[in-house]
Amino acid sequence: MSKIWTKKPMSAFENDVKSSQLKRVLGKWSLTAIGIGAIIGGGIFVLTGTGAYYHAGPALAISFIIAGIACIFAALCYSEFASILPVEGSAYAYAYGTVGEIFAWIIGWGLILEYAMGSMTVAVSWSGYFNKLLKMFGIHLPDYLTSDPASYTGEGFSMNLPAFVIVLFVIGILIKGTKEAAKANNLIVIMKVSAVLFVIIAGVFFINTANWDPFIPAQKMVMEGDKMKEAYGIQGIVSGAAAIFFAYIGFDAVSTQAGEAINPKKDVPFAIIVSLLVCTVLYILVSLVLTGMMNYGNFDPQGQYPDAIKAPVAYAFEIAGQGWAGYIITIAATVGLISVLMVMIMGQSRIFLGMSKDGLIPKMFSDVHPVRKTPAKSLMLLGIVIATIAALTPISKLADMTSFGTLFAFTMVCVAVWILRKKEPNLPRTFKVPALPVIATLGICINVYLIWNLSHEAKYLSMAWLALGVIIYFTYSIRNSRLHQPGYGETLKAEQEPLQKTDLNL
């Protein structure tokens, strides 16, 4: 059992950095754009509707503030780790070098849940905006091709075909190469930020302050699917923060790209913090404008505007009599959500890459295409799985499970950075968390509290996922881990020698 606490030596991480087959093509602004590209999307264009109706009402802005504060603590811890270990794998890699293999595996398994469910949620969100865009031009897809089986009210087969197709389209872009994907992401991010600023500035003129009264609605029961749940009040604000937490996944995605950053020790911490701060401010402003323009009760999927919860920002302008603005927002959201999906699937494949290099999952996940320099096999498999589940699963179940994976990873990073500061205080750090004991403790407490406030179903399903991960670790991963192979130290030394000779030749 002592094997499960084995830590990956720092020399092995240095070897990974030098021997990586991935191209280092991302500067600090490209990394920042990746963060913003992932953060601005589902949170603003979709979860504002579900968060307002099922959780907090107009006080959704407070939910975003709470989630943002929790993220800031975690982001600072991520930044210190990124300045020490500039490798793909995010929190998984950080834990492997500090608290041991079993913790690294559990975090990695949780990140798989986070990114996979996040990708599926965004694919379903994109489908909602795409269908609205088609309707604006008089094109109506049949319900059985736009609804998952649980939401379909008719008889016979049904699937969310647009969600299925968009995943495969994004996979095709990512297989072509990181540089090409980053260029596409940069253009989409400019478009998205412009659209968000438009929503804030134009929406101010259509705010009805009566929609903010009461700002924190009294607690009551609302129907979600076929079940009743508690909403609103202080509890609703907290549960809202937990439910929309996955909207902040973007800065975690930045750390998964460290293996392709030009100057990761400086640029990754910069991109993490800047993307988080910018997007938190935008989230708060958009949620205030949205709930001011449209009463939170109108997002009821069984009410007068049943589709408003799928495309809340566009419907808010439409209901305000500004249909022209709805066109702009719908087009921006339809295009913008593609970049969110792109970054999430990219992040997922890089986590697989790191875990596969260490032998914890099959080797095919670390195979890099010799020409395109992307993990093409991993991306193709991911595309099939994500596309299929997105086509068949309701968005509410996907979003809550994504938040669990995110909150779990953030908690473990706060723990691990504290442990590493105690055990390895002399490691060179280009970024250090100020007042680490205070920041780490607050990060741990807030994230655990938000996990506790997720839906019971999400917690049970997520715990079942983690239990499955433990079974896989003890039946496959521990046996195939590179760290446990005979002669690992000699192998590592042999791998480092040609790299050291190359450095001397330079």
Side-chain angles (χ1 to χ4, degrees):
M1 287 296 288
S2 61
K3 286 184 177 181
I4 68 174
W5 304 109
T6 304
K7 292 186 290 186
K8 187 174 179 178
M10 290 297 164
S11 57
F13 284 111
E14 293 169 3
N15 184 53
D16 288 346
V17 171
K18 292 180 179 180
S19 62
S20 175
Q21 298 179 59
L22 300 174
K23 287 184 179 179
R24 292 196 175 274
V25 295
L26 302 175
K28 68 178 179 181
W29 293 112
S30 291
L31 289 166
T32 303
I34 285 173
I36 294 174
I39 297 172
I40 293 181
I44 281 180
F45 294 122
V46 179
L47 290 187
T48 41
T50 58
Y53 181 70
Y54 290 122
H55 296 280
L60 180 65
I62 302 176
S63 297
F64 275 117
I65 292 171
I66 293 171
I69 291 171
C71 280
I72 287 170
F73 297 140
L76 291 170
C77 294
Y78 263 88
S79 297
E80 179 165 328
F81 261 134
S83 73
I84 301 169
L85 301 174
V87 292
E88 66 276 346
S90 181
Y92 156 78
Y94 305 156
Y96 211 167
T98 56
V99 291
E101 186 173 273
I102 184 63
F103 273 99
W105 168 261
I106 291 172
I107 290 176
W109 193 248
L111 286 171
I112 292 171
L113 175 70
E114 170 187 335
Y115 279 97
M117 292 297 170
S119 300
M120 295 167 199
T121 303
V122 174
V124 175
S125 303
W126 181 88
S127 174
Y129 272 96
F130 178 70
N131 289 328
K132 179 168 177 57
L133 182 63
L134 292 181
K135 289 176 183 177
M136 286 179 167
F137 292 96
I139 302 171
H140 296 267
L141 294 177
D143 286 348
Y144 70 88
L145 290 181
T146 60
S147 303
D148 61 84
S151 305
Y152 184 51
T153 55
E155 295 181 358
F157 171 81
S158 71
M159 70 176 291
N160 193 333
L161 182 61
F164 184 89
V165 171
I166 192 59
V167 173
L168 300 185
F169 172 75
V170 166
I171 291 293
I173 295 175
L174 293 176
I175 287 175
K176 287 186 68 175
T178 300
K179 191 173 183 179
E180 290 76 11
K183 285 180 179 178
N185 181 66
N186 291 346
L187 292 173
I188 294 172
V189 166
I190 292 170
M191 181 179 179
K192 277 200 296 189
V193 172
S194 300
V196 170
L197 293 174
F198 169 79
V199 169
I200 295 167
I201 296 168
V204 166
F205 296 100
F206 303 101
I207 288 175
N208 178 1
T209 54
N211 290 329
W212 289 337
D213 186 19
F215 191 72
I216 303 178
Q219 204 165 18
K220 71 172 188 178
M221 305 295 288
V222 298
M223 179 69 75
E224 183 177 10
D226 57 354
K227 297 179 182 177
M228 297 296 291
K229 62 162 286 182
E230 286 188 0
Y232 316 127
I234 300 300
Q235 181 62 34
I237 292 172
V238 176
S239 67
I244 53 97
F245 201 86
F246 105 90
Y248 287 100
I249 196 175
F251 79 81
D252 179 272
V254 173
S255 67
T256 68
Q257 300 303 126
E260 289 148 287
I262 296 169
N263 187 4
K265 290 190 175 184
K266 290 184 178 180
D267 293 349
V268 172
F270 173 89
I272 286 172
I273 294 170
V274 171
S275 61
L276 176 60
L277 292 176
V278 168
C279 295
T280 300
V281 172
L282 293 178
Y283 273 150
I284 293 166
L285 293 175
V286 169
S287 62
L288 286 170
V289 168
L290 181 66
T291 54
M293 291 179 67
M294 184 172 172
N295 187 279
Y296 67 93
N298 286 333
F299 292 115
D300 183 357
Q302 307 300 322
Q304 185 179 357
Y305 309 104
D307 292 330
I309 199 164
K310 296 179 182 177
V313 180
Y315 270 95
F317 277 93
E318 193 173 297
I319 292 167
Q322 306 301 313
W324 61 273
Y327 279 89
I328 295 173
I329 294 160
T330 302
I331 292 169
T334 304
V335 176
L337 285 169
I338 293 174
S339 76
V340 184
L341 188 58
M342 192 184 301
V343 171
M344 286 189 172
I345 296 177
M346 193 189 302
Q348 170 85 84
S349 67
R350 272 43 174 189
I351 290 167
F352 274 163
L353 183 67
M355 295 176 77
S356 178
K357 279 183 178 180
D358 295 327
L360 301 185
I361 59 176
K363 184 180 180 299
M364 67 157 286
F365 291 103
S366 57
D367 287 344
V368 175
H369 193 280
V371 177
R372 298 189 178 98
K373 300 300 180 182
T374 58
K377 292 180 183 177
S378 177
L379 285 166
M380 285 188 280
L381 179 60
L382 275 171
I384 293 169
V385 173
I386 291 170
T388 302
I389 299 177
L392 303 173
T393 311
I395 189 171
S396 58
K397 295 184 186 299
L398 294 171
D400 273 9
M401 289 184 69
T402 307
S403 290
F404 179 94
T406 310
L407 288 161
F408 180 77
F410 287 3
T411 302
M412 297 309 297
V413 167
C414 291
V415 172
V417 77
W418 200 354
I419 291 173
L420 187 61
R421 183 79 73 84
K422 289 286 186 183
K423 290 189 173 181
E424 301 283 353
N426 297 321
L427 277 177
R429 295 167 168 85
T430 55
F431 178 88
K432 293 182 73 172
V433 179
L436 178 61
V438 176
I439 296 295
T441 301
L442 289 172
I444 293 165
C445 292
I446 292 177
N447 287 310
V448 169
Y449 183 60
L450 291 177
I451 288 174
W452 186 257
N453 280 277
L454 285 169
S455 68
H456 292 303
E457 186 177 20
K459 284 187 284 191
Y460 295 149
L461 289 172
S462 299
M463 293 308 295
W465 173 260
L466 292 180
L468 174 63
V470 171
I471 293 170
I472 292 173
Y473 174 75
F474 282 106
T475 56
Y476 176 87
S477 303
I478 195 169
R479 296 179 182 179
N480 293 277
S481 170
R482 286 193 69 202
L483 261 64
H484 303 155
Q485 300 306 310
Y488 171 75
E490 288 74 16
T491 302
L492 178 60
K493 185 178 179 182
E495 288 175 347
Q496 288 177 318
E497 283 178 356
L499 295 170
Q500 290 165 354
K501 289 177 182 177
T502 302
D503 288 347
L504 290 172
N505 292 335
L506 292 174

